[in-house]
Amino acid sequence: MTLHPDLKFPTAHELDTLSPGELAGRMNALSGTLGARLGIEFTAVSRERVVARMPVDGNRQPAGRLHGGANLALAEELASVGSWMNLDPARQVAVGVDLSGTHVRGVTDGWVTGEGTLAYRGRTVLVWSIEIRDERGRVTSMARCTCNVIATGA
């Protein structure tokens, strides 16, 4: 399995010593990824919690609101990155296998911020609960994402 060439996953020691903000910096600006195309910017990353923001501009549906698919892409991005923080990237990868969401408030401008919280960690499955909020702190979408752990054969 070929990983993104710019991806620099932290070592176990770095996971224990780097701040969530420093870890987030490693996840930003991976060219050619959907997250980069959507403008997703990570602000905090740890084994149990991942936070990122995404602009509404460029991610709207024809009716002018933030596209529900963009919300779900943000949710899966949070869950995937968080899951990888719980793995040995030399031997394992995590992939989203189930994603469900409910959009409860429309957003027409500014940024939304998603926060993913690890709800369950098993050997082969990780489940994340995600809330997406507008700039006023109001919940706009809620999601749940399940990621499977796959051995890379290394």
Side-chain angles (χ1 to χ4, degrees), residues 2-106:
T2 303
L3 300 179
H4 194 286
D6 297 334
L7 193 57
K8 305 225 179 353
F9 275 103
T11 64
H13 174 72
E14 289 171 328
L15 274 171
D16 293 334
T17 58
L18 294 175
S19 73
E22 291 168 324
L23 290 171
R26 292 190 178 199
M27 300 297 120
N28 288 324
L30 294 178
S31 64
T33 64
L34 180 61
R37 187 173 300 266
L38 296 175
I40 294 173
E41 300 175 357
F42 288 90
T43 58
V45 173
S46 71
R47 288 183 174 110
E48 296 83 26
R49 181 176 167 268
V50 182
V51 181
R53 65 188 208 135
M54 180 178 69
V56 173
D57 190 34
N59 295 316
R60 289 185 182 91
Q61 51 159 270
R65 294 172 177 242
L66 179 62
H67 197 292
N71 274 322
L72 292 178
L74 173 59
E76 187 163 347
E77 188 90 350
L78 291 165
S80 294
V81 166
S83 292
W84 282 54
M85 294 299 112
N86 286 279
L87 306 178
D88 176 355
R91 300 182 313 108
Q92 302 167 304
V93 296
V95 295
V97 295
D98 184 63
L99 176 64
S100 64
T102 302
H103 310 299
V104 296
R105 180 182 302 276

